[in-house]
Amino acid sequence: MFRLAVALMVAALSSTAFAKPPDGVRWAGSWQIASDEAMDRHVPILVVFVRQDEAGLALEKSVLTGKEFIAASKKWVTVYCNRDEGQPEKKEGDKSFSTLTPGITVDQHKAAWKELSARFYKTDDANAPSVVWCNPEGEEFGRLEGAVTSRDLVAKMGEAVKKLGPGLEAGDYVDAISHLAAADSASQAKKTGEAVREYSEVLKMQKKPGAGGVVSRAQAGMDRLNNSGRVVMEQANECTAAEDFARAEKLLKEILDNYRGLPIAKEAEKIYDDVCKKAKAKEKDRIDGGDGKR
């Protein structure tokens, strides 16, 4: 149902996927990334077309960097499109990024313009400045063209977001995919306890609007871990049936230590004490010269 794989979740946090300046707008680096996240968060997409001209620079200075727009953008996924040369850039290592959208390159601005101008204007010459809003599938349901004030744009955004919302806000989503990426990494490294803790942080979001996508992935991760714990439980049951209680005790202890918080740990807890008693009794019989059977 959800197209975001682990690699995309990690990419969504990287500098080339999203620009996330401190307390700023979190610009998406491409339409595909924007569409995937918007679907996952159940929020609309805001596409901004600007040129390196007086009107475009005015929109950037008076609207796109303003506190009102930044606050409103948390309920959206935003994409910046600009095809012009001369966009301000900042060098970071061997790469150059836009100063307006740190972490996103000017080439990405140009690629977004080409793709989204064709989508919404059926031409490579979109009207600019303009703002288009659409659902995650790219179906437009509003736009503003020409000069626009921050107040007018934010008001329109407030009206438009109600058509798809309520959705998961950007900050909560960033936290969720951070925990999911950490959980998946820990799971692959066999650090089960750490993975459970990270997935659990996402499950705490289940009552937040629009959190269904990330919560379902966290639950799927927990289910995978529980299933791996069940394999250990089956081994413990086999050892118990063979009266190898010492081995069964170790396996159950492994489940209790590493799978705490999962259903399989509760199952292990129910039989752990009994297996421990049998292991001690068998060891005593061995020492006393008995056959250890009960």
Side-chain angles (χ1 to χ4, degrees):
M1 179 179 179
F2 297 102
R3 292 175 287 173
L4 290 180
V6 173
L8 184 54
M9 285 189 284
V10 175
L13 291 172
S14 72
S15 61
T16 57
F18 271 95
K20 187 176 180 294
D23 300 320
V25 178
R26 187 166 174 264
W27 296 98
S30 72
W31 167 255
Q32 188 60 62
I33 291 170
S35 177
D36 283 333
E37 177 173 327
M39 186 172 295
D40 216 23
R41 289 172 52 202
H42 197 60
V43 296
I45 300 172
L46 192 76
V47 182
V48 180
F49 293 93
V50 297
R51 302 288 298 272
Q52 289 302 105
D53 55 19
E54 184 176 350
L57 295 176
L59 181 69
E60 292 178 0
K61 184 176 180 180
S62 64
V63 179
L64 302 185
T65 56
K67 292 181 179 179
E68 295 83 1
F69 177 76
I70 291 173
S73 73
K74 305 306 181 186
K75 299 180 184 295
W76 293 70
V77 176
T78 51
V79 186
Y80 177 89
C81 308
N82 188 336
R83 72 177 185 182
D84 288 353
E85 300 294 336
Q87 298 179 48
E89 296 179 88
K90 182 179 180 180
K91 196 79 171 179
E92 293 184 18
D94 60 347
K95 295 182 179 180
S96 293
F97 297 100
S98 164
T99 56
L100 177 69
T101 60
I104 295 177
T105 66
V106 168
D107 285 342
Q108 287 175 291
H109 292 172
K110 294 177 180 178
W113 175 288
K114 182 176 182 180
E115 179 178 5
L116 298 180
S117 180
R119 177 183 289 272
F120 296 114
Y121 284 93
K122 310 304 179 185
T123 175
D124 189 37
D125 193 24
N127 291 339
S130 64
V131 181
V132 175
W133 45 93
C134 63
N135 65 19
E137 291 78 20
E139 297 170 347
E140 179 183 341
F141 60 94
R143 70 170 64 186
L144 287 173
E145 297 185 339
V148 60
T149 66
S150 179
R151 177 180 294 180
D152 288 344
L153 177 56
V154 169
K156 289 290 186 181
M157 290 171 69
E159 295 171 5
V161 78
K162 295 177 183 178
K163 294 188 177 182
L164 283 183
L168 188 63
E169 293 205 5
D172 290 329
Y173 184 72
V174 170
D175 288 343
I177 59 176
S178 294
H179 287 302
L180 287 170
D184 289 333
S185 178
S187 180
Q188 291 174 7
K190 306 300 182 183
K191 298 178 180 179
T192 306
E194 182 179 334
V196 169
R197 289 192 294 274
E198 294 290 348
Y199 284 134
S200 294
E201 289 300 312
V202 181
L203 293 179
K204 292 177 183 178
M205 297 182 179
Q206 58 186 336
K207 292 185 178 181
K208 290 182 178 290
V214 292
V215 168
S216 67
R217 290 204 300 280
Q219 186 58 60
M222 293 285 253
D223 290 344
R224 288 193 299 272
L225 293 175
N226 195 66
N227 289 337
S228 69
R230 188 163 298 284
V231 172
V232 181
M233 175 64 87
E234 290 173 356
Q235 294 172 353
N237 289 336
E238 291 173 0
C239 289
T240 299
E243 297 190 356
D244 186 354
F245 301 119
R247 174 61 177 162
E249 179 183 349
K250 289 181 180 179
L251 291 170
L252 292 173
K253 185 66 164 60
E254 178 185 337
I255 295 172
L256 292 174
D257 289 343
N258 296 326
Y259 295 85
R260 190 170 301 280
L262 293 173
I264 197 64
K266 294 181 180 179
E267 290 183 31
E269 189 174 6
K270 291 178 181 179
I271 63 174
Y272 180 69
D273 288 344
D274 184 57
V275 170
C276 288
K277 289 177 182 178
K278 290 180 178 179
K280 288 179 181 179
K282 186 170 184 178
E283 177 64 11
K284 183 178 184 300
D285 283 349
R286 185 189 68 79
I287 294 173
D288 293 343
D291 62 8
K293 292 186 178 180
R294 288 287 180 271

